[in-house]
Each structure stands twice: as structure tokens, then as C-alpha cells.
Amino acid sequence: QDERLTSILNPETSLREEAAKKDEDFDMQKGKLKRVRGYRVQMFWGNSSRADQQKADRIGTQVTTIFPELKYYTSFDSPHWRCRVGDFVSREEANKYLKKLRRISKDAMIVRSEIFVYQ
């Protein structure tokens, strides 16, 4: 899928990814935002319908309401919408949240993903 299409469908996520690629996102206390291999918890995986897009956003919002320290990422990888949460460096860290997140979605699972960390 062309990156331009991704940026149109997911403007917030793509802007964060662009900043990480260019190392422009800088926090005085935390340092630079870097992209590294890590883990996220996939909360939802649906079809290409508008209803599934809304459900992915709704689940992400629900997670961040309960766990404000986690960020959520919705994306469209044709033909599926998905919602993933967290930026976990280790599988063990993701596993601690998985047990809590299964209360929101029984289908939650840990997936290997590129994540954002401050260095």
C-alpha cells in the first residue's frame, strides 16, 4: 500500500511515524523518539467497513481511558482495520498488560511490531 494512502487514512499515526523517521520528535526530559522492534497488544482486527473503523477507534479510546499511559494506533492494511495499543520493548512487559486488556477484548493478543521509544 502506498504510504500516501496510509497518511490519508490515518493522519495522526502517519504524522507520528514521519516525525520518528526524521528524528524530529524531541522531548526535553525524554530525548528523541526512535522506531525500534518491539511489541504491541492487538485489541481489534476487523474488515474494511466504516463500522469496523469506528469500532477500532472506539476500542482504542476505551483502552486509553482506562490506561492513560498507553497509546493506541489504528491502521488500515487492506482489507482490514486493526487497533493496537502500547509500545512495549519486551514481551514480558506486554504480557503484564495483556491480562488486563483481555477484560476489554477477549481477542487481545501480543504482536511483534515497530514501536516508538524515547532515547
Side-chain angles (χ1 to χ4, degrees):
Q1 175 174 316
D2 192 327
E3 288 183 22
R4 292 175 292 180
L5 184 57
T6 302
S7 68
I8 292 168
L9 293 172
N10 302 312
E12 183 179 321
T13 301
S14 63
L15 288 175
R16 240 187 322 241
E17 289 175 358
E18 275 300 311
K21 283 180 188 175
K22 296 177 183 177
D23 287 334
E24 291 177 351
D25 195 358
F26 186 79
D27 184 310
M28 290 297 285
Q29 295 175 345
K30 297 179 184 177
K32 287 187 178 184
L33 189 63
K34 301 280 186 179
R35 285 169 61 126
V36 297
R37 294 295 288 168
Y39 300 90
R40 289 195 173 136
V41 177
Q42 184 164 294
M43 298 296 294
F44 175 76
W45 189 73
N47 293 316
S48 61
S49 70
R50 166 112 37 226
D52 283 336
Q53 177 187 11
Q54 292 169 344
K55 187 171 182 181
D57 283 329
R58 190 171 49 250
I59 288 173
T61 302
Q62 185 178 5
V63 168
T64 56
T65 300
I66 298 168
F67 303 101
E69 69 276 11
L70 297 179
K71 293 182 181 176
Y72 79 93
Y73 305 89
T74 58
S75 61
F76 181 75
D77 291 325
S78 186
H80 302 285
W81 279 100
R82 66 181 179 201
C83 175
R84 293 181 175 177
V85 298
D87 289 307
F88 305 110
V89 176
S90 69
R91 188 170 184 86
E92 292 78 26
E93 186 182 0
N95 205 22
K96 288 177 188 175
Y97 272 98
L98 178 65
K99 294 172 185 172
K100 298 172 189 174
L101 292 169
R102 284 217 170 123
R103 294 180 195 148
I104 298 169
S105 173
K106 294 181 287 185
D107 299 326
M109 64 180 170
I110 297 172
V111 294
R112 194 140 171 81
S113 181
E114 283 194 348
I115 63 169
F116 302 108
V117 294
Y118 285 100
Q119 295 193 354

